[in-house]
């Protein structure tokens, strides 16, 4: 059972439902679940209903039950970049899937999370491809997951082939390749996709780009840079070569978000992994 305390800060009395849904970002789905749960929402130790009035200074307690269903695996040892009562940010290595799949049943970030927090459900907020390294935020409860969804600013770093301009914007719609489940491509009938970047360094053979995504399409960074003739190093799915790195050279290096409870702005950073920095030790 996880306990979350929310202090009413409205100027005038409001219904509990209006406070939770409108002021604190509690989802209607979670509110319905808590209402059906014994002692799901209390005030001063007593059950409080969604139609009851609450006023400034009242402390509302959400008592949330959680279910964990993933097989725990403590041998993975993924570094934690940041943690508080609401969430944990892992620094995921390349080669590790976030979620279990048919081919990956026990070697995922979800399995390591289940080992660390056996009483919690695994709720990833930003999902990284298996071979993409970097920061991955996991909410520790349904309320935190709802508050964080779509609100995390992410900065990626990619090593791409060749020398790209110092900065630029790629605005090109992305669609699924008609004959493939996995592949994406730039196509006029696709969804709008916009990628902003600036070049941090280049050695002629590779350029390091800092990337700010305006939209979040599947494989957006990989597709967009391939589209401008600068595929990611190691990304053989989209035309990159694996001469110097064995996976797509993509890293989620910065996350900025508001704490689900306090609203405090939190920023977490992660250094580039060695296989990407090594690309810039060589000359063309």
């Amino acid at each position: 059972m996880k306990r979350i305390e929310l202090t009413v800060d409205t100027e005038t009395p409001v219904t509990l439902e209006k406070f939770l849904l409108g002021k604190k970002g509690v989802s209607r789905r979670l509110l319905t679940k808590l209402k059906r749960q014994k002692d799901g929402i209390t005030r001063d130790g007593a059950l409080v209903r969604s139609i009851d009035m609450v006023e400034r200074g009242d402390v509302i307690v959400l008592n949330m039950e959680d279910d964990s269903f993933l097989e725990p695996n403590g041998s993975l040892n993924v570094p934690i970049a940041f943690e508080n009562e609401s969430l944990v940010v892992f620094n995921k290595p390349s080669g590790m899937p976030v979620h279990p799949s048919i081919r990956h049943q026990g070697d995922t970030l979800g399995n390591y999370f289940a080992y660390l927090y056996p009483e919690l459900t695994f709720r990833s907020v930003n999902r990284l491809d298996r071979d993409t390294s970097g920061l991955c935020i996991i909410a520790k409860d349904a309320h935190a997951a709802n508050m964080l969804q779509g609100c995390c600013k992410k900065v990626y770093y990619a090593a791409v082939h060749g020398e790209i301009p110092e900065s630029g914007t790629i605005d090109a719609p992305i669609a699924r390749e008609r004959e493939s489940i996995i592949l994406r491509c730039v196509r006029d009938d696709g969804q709008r996709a916009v990628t902003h970047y600036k070049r941090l360094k280049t050695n002629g053979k590779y350029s390091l780009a800092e990337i700010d995504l305006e939209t979040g399409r599947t494989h957006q960074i990989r597709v967009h840079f391939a589209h401008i003739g600068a595929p990611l190093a190691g990304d053989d799915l989209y035309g990159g070569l694996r001469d110097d790195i064995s996976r797509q050279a993509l890293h989620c290096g910065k996350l900025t978000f508001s704490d689900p409870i306090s609203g405090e702005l939190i920023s977490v950073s992660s250094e580039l992994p060695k296989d990407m920095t090594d690309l810039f030790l060589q000359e063309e």
Side-chain angles (χ1 to χ4, degrees):
M1 183 78 72
K2 181 169 183 180
R3 172 188 171 100
I4 294 180
E5 294 187 357
L6 301 173
T7 301
V8 178
D9 55 0
T10 57
E11 293 299 326
T12 58
V14 295
T15 64
L16 175 67
E17 179 173 311
K18 185 173 182 179
F19 168 66
L20 292 178
L21 298 184
K23 291 284 292 181
K24 293 301 178 182
V26 173
S27 68
R28 189 167 293 278
R29 180 179 179 182
L30 176 58
L31 178 60
T32 300
K33 181 179 179 180
L34 290 169
K35 285 162 62 176
R36 294 173 179 170
Q37 182 181 308
K38 186 177 185 295
D39 295 329
I41 310 175
T42 62
R43 174 178 54 188
D44 298 328
L47 187 68
V48 59
R49 302 171 301 169
S50 61
I51 60 173
D52 291 339
M53 302 298 291
V54 296
E55 59 186 35
R56 191 177 188 85
D58 284 350
V59 178
I60 307 301
V61 177
L62 311 182
N63 296 297
M64 300 191 293
E65 293 178 344
D66 232 333
D67 303 307
S68 179
F69 55 90
L70 295 180
E71 177 186 352
N73 185 347
S75 67
L76 299 173
N77 193 28
V78 185
I80 291 176
F82 176 84
E83 182 177 14
N84 63 18
E85 292 184 355
S86 298
L87 57 96
V88 55
V89 180
F90 289 100
N91 195 8
K92 186 186 82 68
S94 64
M96 174 182 287
V98 173
H99 293 276
S101 63
I102 293 175
R103 294 182 179 179
H104 297 274
Q105 289 294 315
D107 58 349
T108 73
L109 185 59
N111 298 113
Y112 186 59
F113 180 89
Y115 165 76
L116 293 180
Y117 314 98
E119 74 284 3
L120 301 182
T121 296
F122 182 67
R123 295 181 171 93
S124 64
V125 177
N126 66 310
R127 181 172 180 172
L128 302 179
D129 289 341
R130 182 186 68 189
D131 286 337
T132 299
S133 58
L135 301 172
C136 190
I137 184 169
I138 312 299
K140 291 184 178 180
D141 56 69
H143 174 62
N146 184 64
M147 292 293 288
L148 291 165
Q149 201 64 48
C151 298
C152 296
K153 178 176 174 55
K154 300 175 283 288
V155 176
Y156 288 88
Y157 297 88
V160 305
H161 283 283
E163 187 167 328
I164 59 174
E166 290 187 359
S167 63
T169 294
I170 308 169
D171 187 344
I174 292 177
R176 186 193 299 270
E177 280 279 14
R178 292 187 175 92
E179 304 300 323
S180 174
I181 296 175
I182 299 172
L183 280 172
R184 300 298 194 272
C185 63
V186 169
R187 204 169 64 223
D188 289 342
D189 64 346
Q191 293 179 299
R192 183 171 183 263
V194 181
T195 301
H196 305 285
Y197 72 88
K198 62 180 178 180
R199 190 187 73 205
L200 300 182
K201 65 170 70 174
T202 183
N203 60 4
K205 186 174 184 180
Y206 299 110
S207 295
L208 180 65
E210 182 180 83
I211 299 162
D212 177 18
L213 295 179
E214 186 174 318
T215 56
R217 309 304 177 199
T218 300
H219 292 183
Q220 178 172 320
I221 294 172
R222 301 166 67 183
V223 172
H224 268 178
F225 279 92
H227 177 65
I228 66 170
L232 271 62
D235 190 6
D236 55 1
L237 191 64
Y238 291 104
L241 302 179
R242 295 202 167 194
D243 296 345
D244 301 309
I245 190 170
S246 61
R247 53 102 178 189
Q248 73 254 13
L250 184 60
H251 181 74
C252 182
K254 292 181 183 177
L255 280 178
T256 304
F257 52 89
S258 295
D259 181 81
I261 302 300
S262 68
E264 174 192 1
L265 193 65
I266 296 170
S267 185
V268 186
S269 299
S270 166
E271 293 183 355
L272 282 180
K274 186 176 184 298
D275 63 351
M276 287 181 63
T277 58
D278 282 354
L279 295 173
F280 297 93
L281 298 178
Q282 54 186 290
E283 298 299 328
E284 185 176 15

